[in-house]
Amino acid sequence: MQPAPSITDADAAIAAGFERFYETLRRLTPRGPLSLTAASTLRRLERSGPHRLSELYAPEGISQPAMTQLVTRLEKEGLAERTDDPTDGRAVVVSITDAGRAAVAHRRAVRAAALAELLQGLTPDEHAAVVAALPALEKLSDLAAERAT
């Protein structure tokens, strides 16, 4: 087991800043029928394609029975569909539907519009700094996703 990394003051400040920005993004997210976990699951299916049901629950931080209930609800709402895994008849594969893609796109568009309004309050240099940070933020997201699998 690896020793825990030492946390610098900068690391703590980044964590605090991310926490505050996460809260801001939650407030900018449209209220609607999709829970945060449902939206996250749909985004995962949109981004990386169909997944076995058994591959979806751990990255979302919920139990397998809870993911089964969530997928059942998404399926009833026409946002996802289940099919038998062609390589293993005992397993189920979950895919996003066109309606699911539309729901994800709507959430993203509403949040982007609200965020664009906030971005107008930044100076050009601050805006450029946010844009410059995007590749590093993407890399952090990729690293986190790798750990979750």
Side-chain angles (χ1 to χ4, degrees):
M1 190 165 179
Q2 285 185 329
S6 61
I7 299 172
T8 66
D9 289 345
D11 295 338
I14 290 168
F18 281 178
E19 182 177 9
R20 185 163 183 226
F21 192 66
Y22 172 73
E23 292 166 357
T24 299
L25 286 177
R26 284 187 53 210
R27 284 191 296 276
L28 295 177
T29 300
R31 302 275 183 246
L34 290 180
S35 68
L36 291 174
T37 304
S40 178
T41 300
L42 288 173
R43 280 191 308 273
R44 178 179 308 281
L45 294 170
E46 177 190 47
R47 184 176 54 251
S48 54
H51 281 65
R52 282 180 161 201
L53 185 61
S54 61
E55 297 169 339
L56 289 173
Y57 71 93
E60 296 303 330
I62 63 174
S63 68
Q64 189 164 358
M67 180 56 72
T68 299
Q69 289 178 345
L70 174 62
V71 168
T72 298
R73 193 180 97 231
L74 293 173
E75 192 174 30
K76 284 180 182 175
E77 294 171 2
L79 304 175
E81 64 184 359
R82 285 188 244 214
T83 56
D84 291 333
D85 186 330
T87 62
D88 181 354
R90 299 168 295 168
V92 172
V93 174
V94 182
S95 303
I96 190 169
T97 63
D98 288 342
R101 281 184 185 79
V104 169
H106 172 73
R107 258 176 97 91
R108 191 175 287 132
V110 170
R111 187 174 40 242
L115 188 55
E117 192 175 316
L118 290 177
L119 288 168
Q120 290 177 0
L122 298 179
T123 67
D125 286 346
E126 291 167 335
H127 190 276
V130 172
V131 171
L134 291 175
L137 294 172
E138 286 291 330
K139 173 91 184 238
L140 280 174
S141 294
D142 291 344
L143 292 170
E146 288 172 15
R147 281 191 175 184
T149 56

